[in-house]
Amino acid sequence: MSQLLIVPMNNKSFGATVTGIDIVSLTDTEFATVNEALIQHGFLLFPEQHLNEENSADFGRRFGDLEFGGQPMSNQKKHSDGALGEIYDLQSQLMRTNVGNETWHTDSTYKPISSKVAMLSAVVVPELDGQTELADLRAGYDSLDDETKERIVGLSAFHSTNYSQANDIGDFPDKDQKGLYGEVYHGEAYLRPLIKVHPETGEPNLFVGRHAFSVPGLERNESRTLLASLLSHVVSDESRVYSHNWEPGDTLLWDNRCILHRARPYDYSKPRYLIGTRVAGDPATELAYYPEDSEAEMGRVALAAELELLRSETKHRMYGASTATSMSG
Ligand SMILES: [Fe+2]
């Protein structure tokens, strides 16, 4: 039997490749080792696992309660008999959402409880492009100068994917959409500190990304400049960024509490089918507040004001400040 091997990524502040295990039949001892490696390295690559939907969800459950398990993360429909079907139209809300995720983020910061870990497993990938990239918010924080560290202590930002879709690509999804899109484009905004103390290591890391906007206490321009400069600082050094070229069978697992990620563009007419599982954070450390809590009102107000300005500012971005007309292509 081959041996479990964890090899850190070359010349990177984070990440490791794990071989010599089968995710589907991981023992409790092996899982404990993998979990420890995830906390230490921030993300793990498992080549040649070829997980299916059920395997992906089962592995995710070992980390905690799922937000969702074994879901298609794809530009392609999957029929009930398992056959892959037509490619979604680039104007569809699904593709708008996929394209939005080409900007750096951590998952589900736009929900009351942000995510703990996320997993992607490649089934069909285009020959070229379409990488998933990761960036280290821990090394990003550590390498800030003392003045910036002091400046951001106690500061927070609101997080909303209505904001990020508008700001990044000029997309204004309807707030009243049902189903999946109703869950993400809900018109709430959640306040989260710019510095997150990792619940398992006790170490601080930056917690910024595409969903973050409007730092209370700062003018709009000052807030936008600060958030953009923190994000660009994180990804400004090669050692803090890893770009993954997918091979079918790869599984990539990352800690959403301290690692950024983004999708990269590809020829959207070519099929790309990955299976995704997302684990919810711990309410003790990843809960902002619920929509029914009194704090939620300030988020709603901040978001509405921001969207109002973005309607005119984003007319020339990819989707031109329009509202999606169809949910699926
Ligand atoms: Fe994501």
Side-chain angles (χ1 to χ4, degrees), residues 136-153 194-196 204-208 226-236 240:
D136 190 351
L137 288 161
R138 309 170 306 176
Y141 175 80
D142 291 343
S143 56
L144 287 174
D145 59 62
D146 289 343
E147 198 185 323
T148 309
K149 281 183 182 168
E150 269 169 48
R151 184 179 171 214
I152 62 174
V153 168
L194 300 191
I195 303 171
K196 183 170 178 66
N205 58 257
L206 279 172
F207 204 58
V208 292
L226 175 64
L227 292 171
S229 72
L230 292 173
L231 190 53
S232 67
H233 168 76
V234 175
V235 300
S236 64
R240 299 195 285 268

PDB file of all heavy atoms in Angstrom, residues 136-153 194-196 204-208 226-236 240:
ATOM      1  N   ASP A 136      -2.990  33.548  -0.397  1.00  0.00           N
ATOM      2  CA  ASP A 136      -2.799  33.355   1.041  1.00  0.00           C
ATOM      3  C   ASP A 136      -3.037  34.652   1.826  1.00  0.00           C
ATOM      4  O   ASP A 136      -2.198  35.552   1.841  1.00  0.00           O
ATOM      5  CB  ASP A 136      -1.369  32.842   1.266  1.00  0.00           C
ATOM      6  CG  ASP A 136      -1.119  32.383   2.686  1.00  0.00           C
ATOM      7  OD1 ASP A 136      -1.994  32.611   3.550  1.00  0.00           O
ATOM      8  OD2 ASP A 136      -0.040  31.808   2.928  1.00  0.00           O
ATOM      9  N   LEU A 137      -4.187  34.709   2.512  1.00  0.00           N
ATOM     10  CA  LEU A 137      -4.546  35.889   3.303  1.00  0.00           C
ATOM     11  C   LEU A 137      -3.753  35.955   4.615  1.00  0.00           C
ATOM     12  O   LEU A 137      -3.715  37.005   5.257  1.00  0.00           O
ATOM     13  CB  LEU A 137      -6.044  35.869   3.620  1.00  0.00           C
ATOM     14  CG  LEU A 137      -6.990  36.166   2.455  1.00  0.00           C
ATOM     15  CD1 LEU A 137      -8.396  35.662   2.765  1.00  0.00           C
ATOM     16  CD2 LEU A 137      -7.021  37.660   2.132  1.00  0.00           C
ATOM     17  N   ARG A 138      -3.152  34.849   5.006  1.00  0.00           N
ATOM     18  CA  ARG A 138      -2.344  34.832   6.240  1.00  0.00           C
ATOM     19  C   ARG A 138      -1.015  35.536   5.970  1.00  0.00           C
ATOM     20  O   ARG A 138      -0.648  36.487   6.661  1.00  0.00           O
ATOM     21  CB  ARG A 138      -2.085  33.394   6.688  1.00  0.00           C
ATOM     22  CG  ARG A 138      -3.337  32.541   6.771  1.00  0.00           C
ATOM     23  CD  ARG A 138      -3.030  31.067   6.973  1.00  0.00           C
ATOM     24  NE  ARG A 138      -2.111  30.558   5.950  1.00  0.00           N
ATOM     25  CZ  ARG A 138      -1.618  29.336   5.935  1.00  0.00           C
ATOM     26  NH1 ARG A 138      -1.947  28.472   6.875  1.00  0.00           N
ATOM     27  NH2 ARG A 138      -0.792  28.950   4.982  1.00  0.00           N
ATOM     28  N   ALA A 139      -0.301  35.075   4.922  1.00  0.00           N
ATOM     29  CA  ALA A 139       0.965  35.726   4.553  1.00  0.00           C
ATOM     30  C   ALA A 139       0.692  37.159   4.100  1.00  0.00           C
ATOM     31  O   ALA A 139       1.538  38.045   4.269  1.00  0.00           O
ATOM     32  CB  ALA A 139       1.657  34.937   3.454  1.00  0.00           C
ATOM     33  N   GLY A 140      -0.498  37.381   3.519  1.00  0.00           N
ATOM     34  CA  GLY A 140      -0.883  38.739   3.113  1.00  0.00           C
ATOM     35  C   GLY A 140      -0.939  39.674   4.307  1.00  0.00           C
ATOM     36  O   GLY A 140      -0.461  40.807   4.246  1.00  0.00           O
ATOM     37  N   TYR A 141      -1.484  39.204   5.406  1.00  0.00           N
ATOM     38  CA  TYR A 141      -1.536  40.022   6.626  1.00  0.00           C
ATOM     39  C   TYR A 141      -0.139  40.189   7.217  1.00  0.00           C
ATOM     40  O   TYR A 141       0.274  41.306   7.530  1.00  0.00           O
ATOM     41  CB  TYR A 141      -2.479  39.384   7.670  1.00  0.00           C
ATOM     42  CG  TYR A 141      -2.450  40.138   8.970  1.00  0.00           C
ATOM     43  CD1 TYR A 141      -3.183  41.313   9.123  1.00  0.00           C
ATOM     44  CD2 TYR A 141      -1.654  39.711  10.039  1.00  0.00           C
ATOM     45  CE1 TYR A 141      -3.128  42.050  10.303  1.00  0.00           C
ATOM     46  CE2 TYR A 141      -1.593  40.431  11.216  1.00  0.00           C
ATOM     47  CZ  TYR A 141      -2.331  41.600  11.347  1.00  0.00           C
ATOM     48  OH  TYR A 141      -2.267  42.321  12.512  1.00  0.00           O
ATOM     49  N   ASP A 142       0.568  39.070   7.356  1.00  0.00           N
ATOM     50  CA  ASP A 142       1.895  39.105   7.999  1.00  0.00           C
ATOM     51  C   ASP A 142       2.836  40.090   7.312  1.00  0.00           C
ATOM     52  O   ASP A 142       3.663  40.709   7.964  1.00  0.00           O
ATOM     53  CB  ASP A 142       2.546  37.708   7.976  1.00  0.00           C
ATOM     54  CG  ASP A 142       1.819  36.732   8.889  1.00  0.00           C
ATOM     55  OD1 ASP A 142       1.046  37.186   9.764  1.00  0.00           O
ATOM     56  OD2 ASP A 142       2.007  35.506   8.718  1.00  0.00           O
ATOM     57  N   SER A 143       2.710  40.228   5.993  1.00  0.00           N
ATOM     58  CA  SER A 143       3.652  41.062   5.242  1.00  0.00           C
ATOM     59  C   SER A 143       3.222  42.528   5.138  1.00  0.00           C
ATOM     60  O   SER A 143       3.902  43.326   4.495  1.00  0.00           O
ATOM     61  CB  SER A 143       3.836  40.476   3.832  1.00  0.00           C
ATOM     62  OG  SER A 143       2.574  40.370   3.199  1.00  0.00           O
ATOM     63  N   LEU A 144       2.098  42.885   5.757  1.00  0.00           N
ATOM     64  CA  LEU A 144       1.700  44.307   5.765  1.00  0.00           C
ATOM     65  C   LEU A 144       2.671  45.094   6.640  1.00  0.00           C
ATOM     66  O   LEU A 144       3.214  44.555   7.616  1.00  0.00           O
ATOM     67  CB  LEU A 144       0.302  44.469   6.376  1.00  0.00           C
ATOM     68  CG  LEU A 144      -0.908  44.017   5.566  1.00  0.00           C
ATOM     69  CD1 LEU A 144      -2.165  44.135   6.446  1.00  0.00           C
ATOM     70  CD2 LEU A 144      -1.064  44.840   4.293  1.00  0.00           C
ATOM     71  N   ASP A 145       2.874  46.387   6.340  1.00  0.00           N
ATOM     72  CA  ASP A 145       3.700  47.194   7.234  1.00  0.00           C
ATOM     73  C   ASP A 145       2.916  47.499   8.514  1.00  0.00           C
ATOM     74  O   ASP A 145       1.683  47.398   8.547  1.00  0.00           O
ATOM     75  CB  ASP A 145       4.183  48.474   6.529  1.00  0.00           C
ATOM     76  CG  ASP A 145       3.016  49.322   6.045  1.00  0.00           C
ATOM     77  OD1 ASP A 145       2.219  49.773   6.892  1.00  0.00           O
ATOM     78  OD2 ASP A 145       2.894  49.499   4.808  1.00  0.00           O
ATOM     79  N   ASP A 146       3.641  47.848   9.569  1.00  0.00           N
ATOM     80  CA  ASP A 146       3.005  48.034  10.883  1.00  0.00           C
ATOM     81  C   ASP A 146       1.941  49.125  10.855  1.00  0.00           C
ATOM     82  O   ASP A 146       0.911  49.024  11.518  1.00  0.00           O
ATOM     83  CB  ASP A 146       4.062  48.376  11.944  1.00  0.00           C
ATOM     84  CG  ASP A 146       4.930  47.162  12.252  1.00  0.00           C
ATOM     85  OD1 ASP A 146       4.502  46.037  11.901  1.00  0.00           O
ATOM     86  OD2 ASP A 146       6.023  47.332  12.815  1.00  0.00           O
ATOM     87  N   GLU A 147       2.207  50.161  10.068  1.00  0.00           N
ATOM     88  CA  GLU A 147       1.275  51.294   9.994  1.00  0.00           C
ATOM     89  C   GLU A 147      -0.095  50.819   9.460  1.00  0.00           C
ATOM     90  O   GLU A 147      -1.150  51.182   9.996  1.00  0.00           O
ATOM     91  CB  GLU A 147       1.870  52.336   9.051  1.00  0.00           C
ATOM     92  CG  GLU A 147       1.271  53.711   9.179  1.00  0.00           C
ATOM     93  CD  GLU A 147       1.850  54.631   8.106  1.00  0.00           C
ATOM     94  OE1 GLU A 147       3.050  54.496   7.797  1.00  0.00           O
ATOM     95  OE2 GLU A 147       1.083  55.447   7.574  1.00  0.00           O
ATOM     96  N   THR A 148      -0.046  50.004   8.392  1.00  0.00           N
ATOM     97  CA  THR A 148      -1.305  49.491   7.819  1.00  0.00           C
ATOM     98  C   THR A 148      -1.993  48.544   8.796  1.00  0.00           C
ATOM     99  O   THR A 148      -3.215  48.604   8.977  1.00  0.00           O
ATOM    100  CB  THR A 148      -1.029  48.771   6.474  1.00  0.00           C
ATOM    101  OG1 THR A 148      -0.265  49.637   5.652  1.00  0.00           O
ATOM    102  CG2 THR A 148      -2.324  48.405   5.770  1.00  0.00           C
ATOM    103  N   LYS A 149      -1.206  47.681   9.428  1.00  0.00           N
ATOM    104  CA  LYS A 149      -1.803  46.766  10.413  1.00  0.00           C
ATOM    105  C   LYS A 149      -2.551  47.555  11.483  1.00  0.00           C
ATOM    106  O   LYS A 149      -3.664  47.205  11.867  1.00  0.00           O
ATOM    107  CB  LYS A 149      -0.720  45.910  11.071  1.00  0.00           C
ATOM    108  CG  LYS A 149      -0.262  44.743  10.221  1.00  0.00           C
ATOM    109  CD  LYS A 149       0.757  43.902  10.982  1.00  0.00           C
ATOM    110  CE  LYS A 149       1.263  42.770  10.116  1.00  0.00           C
ATOM    111  NZ  LYS A 149       2.434  42.093  10.652  1.00  0.00           N
ATOM    112  N   GLU A 150      -1.904  48.635  11.974  1.00  0.00           N
ATOM    113  CA  GLU A 150      -2.544  49.443  13.024  1.00  0.00           C
ATOM    114  C   GLU A 150      -3.784  50.153  12.501  1.00  0.00           C
ATOM    115  O   GLU A 150      -4.794  50.254  13.185  1.00  0.00           O
ATOM    116  CB  GLU A 150      -1.560  50.493  13.555  1.00  0.00           C
ATOM    117  CG  GLU A 150      -0.769  50.000  14.742  1.00  0.00           C
ATOM    118  CD  GLU A 150       0.380  50.931  15.084  1.00  0.00           C
ATOM    119  OE1 GLU A 150       0.148  52.157  15.153  1.00  0.00           O
ATOM    120  OE2 GLU A 150       1.501  50.409  15.251  1.00  0.00           O
ATOM    121  N   ARG A 151      -3.682  50.620  11.257  1.00  0.00           N
ATOM    122  CA  ARG A 151      -4.802  51.371  10.665  1.00  0.00           C
ATOM    123  C   ARG A 151      -6.063  50.519  10.552  1.00  0.00           C
ATOM    124  O   ARG A 151      -7.179  51.025  10.712  1.00  0.00           O
ATOM    125  CB  ARG A 151      -4.390  51.876   9.274  1.00  0.00           C
ATOM    126  CG  ARG A 151      -5.449  52.736   8.651  1.00  0.00           C
ATOM    127  CD  ARG A 151      -5.050  53.254   7.286  1.00  0.00           C
ATOM    128  NE  ARG A 151      -6.220  53.891   6.684  1.00  0.00           N
ATOM    129  CZ  ARG A 151      -6.497  53.887   5.400  1.00  0.00           C
ATOM    130  NH1 ARG A 151      -5.678  53.303   4.555  1.00  0.00           N
ATOM    131  NH2 ARG A 151      -7.595  54.465   4.949  1.00  0.00           N
ATOM    132  N   ILE A 152      -5.905  49.242  10.251  1.00  0.00           N
ATOM    133  CA  ILE A 152      -7.096  48.428   9.989  1.00  0.00           C
ATOM    134  C   ILE A 152      -7.634  47.689  11.222  1.00  0.00           C
ATOM    135  O   ILE A 152      -8.671  47.045  11.143  1.00  0.00           O
ATOM    136  CB  ILE A 152      -6.863  47.426   8.833  1.00  0.00           C
ATOM    137  CG1 ILE A 152      -5.760  46.426   9.171  1.00  0.00           C
ATOM    138  CG2 ILE A 152      -6.566  48.164   7.539  1.00  0.00           C
ATOM    139  CD1 ILE A 152      -5.601  45.317   8.121  1.00  0.00           C
ATOM    140  N   VAL A 153      -6.928  47.816  12.346  1.00  0.00           N
ATOM    141  CA  VAL A 153      -7.447  47.183  13.573  1.00  0.00           C
ATOM    142  C   VAL A 153      -8.820  47.764  13.886  1.00  0.00           C
ATOM    143  O   VAL A 153      -9.009  48.982  13.872  1.00  0.00           O
ATOM    144  CB  VAL A 153      -6.490  47.436  14.774  1.00  0.00           C
ATOM    145  CG1 VAL A 153      -7.173  47.043  16.091  1.00  0.00           C
ATOM    146  CG2 VAL A 153      -5.210  46.655  14.606  1.00  0.00           C
ATOM    147  N   LEU A 194     -11.978  43.297   8.975  1.00  0.00           N
ATOM    148  CA  LEU A 194     -10.953  43.170   7.924  1.00  0.00           C
ATOM    149  C   LEU A 194      -9.843  42.214   8.359  1.00  0.00           C
ATOM    150  O   LEU A 194      -9.126  41.668   7.527  1.00  0.00           O
ATOM    151  CB  LEU A 194     -10.324  44.532   7.608  1.00  0.00           C
ATOM    152  CG  LEU A 194     -11.241  45.640   7.101  1.00  0.00           C
ATOM    153  CD1 LEU A 194     -10.405  46.813   6.587  1.00  0.00           C
ATOM    154  CD2 LEU A 194     -12.174  45.146   6.013  1.00  0.00           C
ATOM    155  N   ILE A 195      -9.692  42.065   9.680  1.00  0.00           N
ATOM    156  CA  ILE A 195      -8.722  41.090  10.191  1.00  0.00           C
ATOM    157  C   ILE A 195      -9.523  39.977  10.855  1.00  0.00           C
ATOM    158  O   ILE A 195     -10.311  40.227  11.762  1.00  0.00           O
ATOM    159  CB  ILE A 195      -7.780  41.715  11.247  1.00  0.00           C
ATOM    160  CG1 ILE A 195      -7.047  42.925  10.668  1.00  0.00           C
ATOM    161  CG2 ILE A 195      -6.782  40.672  11.762  1.00  0.00           C
ATOM    162  CD1 ILE A 195      -6.260  43.732  11.709  1.00  0.00           C
ATOM    163  N   LYS A 196      -9.310  38.766  10.364  1.00  0.00           N
ATOM    164  CA  LYS A 196      -9.993  37.611  10.964  1.00  0.00           C
ATOM    165  C   LYS A 196      -8.980  36.824  11.789  1.00  0.00           C
ATOM    166  O   LYS A 196      -7.872  36.555  11.317  1.00  0.00           O
ATOM    167  CB  LYS A 196     -10.578  36.716   9.865  1.00  0.00           C
ATOM    168  CG  LYS A 196     -11.369  35.538  10.429  1.00  0.00           C
ATOM    169  CD  LYS A 196     -12.140  34.805   9.338  1.00  0.00           C
ATOM    170  CE  LYS A 196     -12.883  33.594   9.905  1.00  0.00           C
ATOM    171  NZ  LYS A 196     -13.967  33.937  10.849  1.00  0.00           N
ATOM    172  N   PRO A 204      -3.947  35.855  13.164  1.00  0.00           N
ATOM    173  CA  PRO A 204      -4.725  36.813  12.357  1.00  0.00           C
ATOM    174  C   PRO A 204      -4.450  36.659  10.864  1.00  0.00           C
ATOM    175  O   PRO A 204      -3.343  36.299  10.464  1.00  0.00           O
ATOM    176  CB  PRO A 204      -4.208  38.168  12.846  1.00  0.00           C
ATOM    177  CG  PRO A 204      -2.807  37.892  13.291  1.00  0.00           C
ATOM    178  CD  PRO A 204      -2.768  36.460  13.783  1.00  0.00           C
ATOM    179  N   ASN A 205      -5.465  36.893  10.043  1.00  0.00           N
ATOM    180  CA  ASN A 205      -5.247  37.014   8.591  1.00  0.00           C
ATOM    181  C   ASN A 205      -6.172  38.091   8.045  1.00  0.00           C
ATOM    182  O   ASN A 205      -7.172  38.440   8.690  1.00  0.00           O
ATOM    183  CB  ASN A 205      -5.442  35.671   7.864  1.00  0.00           C
ATOM    184  CG  ASN A 205      -6.807  35.025   8.044  1.00  0.00           C
ATOM    185  OD1 ASN A 205      -6.943  34.063   8.815  1.00  0.00           O
ATOM    186  ND2 ASN A 205      -7.828  35.519   7.349  1.00  0.00           N
ATOM    187  N   LEU A 206      -5.826  38.605   6.866  1.00  0.00           N
ATOM    188  CA  LEU A 206      -6.729  39.557   6.220  1.00  0.00           C
ATOM    189  C   LEU A 206      -8.007  38.824   5.835  1.00  0.00           C
ATOM    190  O   LEU A 206      -7.994  37.608   5.598  1.00  0.00           O
ATOM    191  CB  LEU A 206      -6.071  40.154   4.980  1.00  0.00           C
ATOM    192  CG  LEU A 206      -5.095  41.299   5.223  1.00  0.00           C
ATOM    193  CD1 LEU A 206      -4.371  41.660   3.927  1.00  0.00           C
ATOM    194  CD2 LEU A 206      -5.806  42.521   5.796  1.00  0.00           C
ATOM    195  N   PHE A 207      -9.114  39.543   5.768  1.00  0.00           N
ATOM    196  CA  PHE A 207     -10.363  38.921   5.335  1.00  0.00           C
ATOM    197  C   PHE A 207     -11.069  39.905   4.411  1.00  0.00           C
ATOM    198  O   PHE A 207     -11.997  40.610   4.795  1.00  0.00           O
ATOM    199  CB  PHE A 207     -11.215  38.551   6.558  1.00  0.00           C
ATOM    200  CG  PHE A 207     -12.201  37.436   6.274  1.00  0.00           C
ATOM    201  CD1 PHE A 207     -11.756  36.203   5.824  1.00  0.00           C
ATOM    202  CD2 PHE A 207     -13.560  37.620   6.460  1.00  0.00           C
ATOM    203  CE1 PHE A 207     -12.653  35.170   5.551  1.00  0.00           C
ATOM    204  CE2 PHE A 207     -14.467  36.596   6.190  1.00  0.00           C
ATOM    205  CZ  PHE A 207     -14.006  35.368   5.734  1.00  0.00           C
ATOM    206  N   VAL A 208     -10.549  39.976   3.181  1.00  0.00           N
ATOM    207  CA  VAL A 208     -11.079  40.894   2.171  1.00  0.00           C
ATOM    208  C   VAL A 208     -11.252  40.129   0.861  1.00  0.00           C
ATOM    209  O   VAL A 208     -10.637  39.091   0.679  1.00  0.00           O
ATOM    210  CB  VAL A 208     -10.129  42.097   1.927  1.00  0.00           C
ATOM    211  CG1 VAL A 208     -10.085  43.005   3.139  1.00  0.00           C
ATOM    212  CG2 VAL A 208      -8.722  41.628   1.548  1.00  0.00           C
ATOM    213  N   LEU A 226      -8.856  51.589   0.208  1.00  0.00           N
ATOM    214  CA  LEU A 226      -8.270  50.717   1.234  1.00  0.00           C
ATOM    215  C   LEU A 226      -8.520  49.242   0.897  1.00  0.00           C
ATOM    216  O   LEU A 226      -7.592  48.425   0.902  1.00  0.00           O
ATOM    217  CB  LEU A 226      -8.855  51.041   2.619  1.00  0.00           C
ATOM    218  CG  LEU A 226      -8.402  50.095   3.738  1.00  0.00           C
ATOM    219  CD1 LEU A 226      -6.890  50.200   3.976  1.00  0.00           C
ATOM    220  CD2 LEU A 226      -9.164  50.377   5.039  1.00  0.00           C
ATOM    221  N   LEU A 227      -9.763  48.895   0.581  1.00  0.00           N
ATOM    222  CA  LEU A 227     -10.094  47.489   0.301  1.00  0.00           C
ATOM    223  C   LEU A 227      -9.340  46.983  -0.931  1.00  0.00           C
ATOM    224  O   LEU A 227      -8.816  45.866  -0.939  1.00  0.00           O
ATOM    225  CB  LEU A 227     -11.604  47.320   0.119  1.00  0.00           C
ATOM    226  CG  LEU A 227     -12.429  47.532   1.401  1.00  0.00           C
ATOM    227  CD1 LEU A 227     -13.923  47.567   1.078  1.00  0.00           C
ATOM    228  CD2 LEU A 227     -12.129  46.464   2.440  1.00  0.00           C
ATOM    229  N   ALA A 228      -9.269  47.839  -1.961  1.00  0.00           N
ATOM    230  CA  ALA A 228      -8.547  47.437  -3.183  1.00  0.00           C
ATOM    231  C   ALA A 228      -7.058  47.269  -2.903  1.00  0.00           C
ATOM    232  O   ALA A 228      -6.419  46.341  -3.415  1.00  0.00           O
ATOM    233  CB  ALA A 228      -8.778  48.468  -4.287  1.00  0.00           C
ATOM    234  N   SER A 229      -6.502  48.144  -2.063  1.00  0.00           N
ATOM    235  CA  SER A 229      -5.053  48.060  -1.822  1.00  0.00           C
ATOM    236  C   SER A 229      -4.718  46.837  -0.966  1.00  0.00           C
ATOM    237  O   SER A 229      -3.684  46.194  -1.190  1.00  0.00           O
ATOM    238  CB  SER A 229      -4.518  49.347  -1.191  1.00  0.00           C
ATOM    239  OG  SER A 229      -4.935  49.432   0.146  1.00  0.00           O
ATOM    240  N   LEU A 230      -5.580  46.481  -0.036  1.00  0.00           N
ATOM    241  CA  LEU A 230      -5.320  45.279   0.773  1.00  0.00           C
ATOM    242  C   LEU A 230      -5.367  44.029  -0.102  1.00  0.00           C
ATOM    243  O   LEU A 230      -4.508  43.159  -0.010  1.00  0.00           O
ATOM    244  CB  LEU A 230      -6.344  45.169   1.918  1.00  0.00           C
ATOM    245  CG  LEU A 230      -6.241  46.245   3.005  1.00  0.00           C
ATOM    246  CD1 LEU A 230      -7.422  46.125   3.977  1.00  0.00           C
ATOM    247  CD2 LEU A 230      -4.913  46.159   3.761  1.00  0.00           C
ATOM    248  N   LEU A 231      -6.371  43.980  -0.968  1.00  0.00           N
ATOM    249  CA  LEU A 231      -6.505  42.820  -1.853  1.00  0.00           C
ATOM    250  C   LEU A 231      -5.320  42.734  -2.822  1.00  0.00           C
ATOM    251  O   LEU A 231      -4.726  41.661  -2.999  1.00  0.00           O
ATOM    252  CB  LEU A 231      -7.831  42.929  -2.622  1.00  0.00           C
ATOM    253  CG  LEU A 231      -8.273  41.723  -3.430  1.00  0.00           C
ATOM    254  CD1 LEU A 231      -8.300  40.457  -2.584  1.00  0.00           C
ATOM    255  CD2 LEU A 231      -9.656  41.976  -4.037  1.00  0.00           C
ATOM    256  N   SER A 232      -4.954  43.870  -3.404  1.00  0.00           N
ATOM    257  CA  SER A 232      -3.848  43.805  -4.361  1.00  0.00           C
ATOM    258  C   SER A 232      -2.527  43.510  -3.649  1.00  0.00           C
ATOM    259  O   SER A 232      -1.652  42.855  -4.213  1.00  0.00           O
ATOM    260  CB  SER A 232      -3.777  45.039  -5.251  1.00  0.00           C
ATOM    261  OG  SER A 232      -3.452  46.139  -4.490  1.00  0.00           O
ATOM    262  N   HIS A 233      -2.412  43.924  -2.400  1.00  0.00           N
ATOM    263  CA  HIS A 233      -1.203  43.562  -1.641  1.00  0.00           C
ATOM    264  C   HIS A 233      -1.092  42.036  -1.488  1.00  0.00           C
ATOM    265  O   HIS A 233      -0.031  41.456  -1.711  1.00  0.00           O
ATOM    266  CB  HIS A 233      -1.214  44.218  -0.252  1.00  0.00           C
ATOM    267  CG  HIS A 233      -0.163  43.664   0.651  1.00  0.00           C
ATOM    268  ND1 HIS A 233       1.174  43.995   0.528  1.00  0.00           N
ATOM    269  CD2 HIS A 233      -0.227  42.734   1.640  1.00  0.00           C
ATOM    270  CE1 HIS A 233       1.879  43.303   1.419  1.00  0.00           C
ATOM    271  NE2 HIS A 233       1.053  42.530   2.105  1.00  0.00           N
ATOM    272  N   VAL A 234      -2.200  41.396  -1.143  1.00  0.00           N
ATOM    273  CA  VAL A 234      -2.174  39.934  -0.921  1.00  0.00           C
ATOM    274  C   VAL A 234      -1.652  39.222  -2.164  1.00  0.00           C
ATOM    275  O   VAL A 234      -0.816  38.321  -2.082  1.00  0.00           O
ATOM    276  CB  VAL A 234      -3.579  39.393  -0.551  1.00  0.00           C
ATOM    277  CG1 VAL A 234      -3.566  37.873  -0.451  1.00  0.00           C
ATOM    278  CG2 VAL A 234      -4.081  40.011   0.746  1.00  0.00           C
ATOM    279  N   VAL A 235      -2.146  39.630  -3.345  1.00  0.00           N
ATOM    280  CA  VAL A 235      -1.824  38.890  -4.577  1.00  0.00           C
ATOM    281  C   VAL A 235      -0.615  39.477  -5.322  1.00  0.00           C
ATOM    282  O   VAL A 235      -0.314  39.057  -6.434  1.00  0.00           O
ATOM    283  CB  VAL A 235      -3.052  38.809  -5.521  1.00  0.00           C
ATOM    284  CG1 VAL A 235      -4.195  38.090  -4.807  1.00  0.00           C
ATOM    285  CG2 VAL A 235      -3.499  40.183  -5.997  1.00  0.00           C
ATOM    286  N   SER A 236       0.074  40.442  -4.693  1.00  0.00           N
ATOM    287  CA  SER A 236       1.172  41.129  -5.380  1.00  0.00           C
ATOM    288  C   SER A 236       2.468  40.322  -5.365  1.00  0.00           C
ATOM    289  O   SER A 236       3.408  40.639  -6.079  1.00  0.00           O
ATOM    290  CB  SER A 236       1.422  42.499  -4.748  1.00  0.00           C
ATOM    291  OG  SER A 236       1.862  42.315  -3.404  1.00  0.00           O
ATOM    292  N   ARG A 240       2.552  34.157  -2.686  1.00  0.00           N
ATOM    293  CA  ARG A 240       1.232  34.111  -2.017  1.00  0.00           C
ATOM    294  C   ARG A 240       0.104  33.710  -2.969  1.00  0.00           C
ATOM    295  O   ARG A 240      -1.069  33.758  -2.574  1.00  0.00           O
ATOM    296  CB  ARG A 240       0.911  35.480  -1.384  1.00  0.00           C
ATOM    297  CG  ARG A 240       1.909  35.924  -0.332  1.00  0.00           C
ATOM    298  CD  ARG A 240       1.382  37.075   0.500  1.00  0.00           C
ATOM    299  NE  ARG A 240       1.381  38.359  -0.158  1.00  0.00           N
ATOM    300  CZ  ARG A 240       2.373  39.249  -0.093  1.00  0.00           C
ATOM    301  NH1 ARG A 240       3.473  38.980   0.609  1.00  0.00           N
ATOM    302  NH2 ARG A 240       2.287  40.416  -0.702  1.00  0.00           N
TER     303      ARG A 240
END
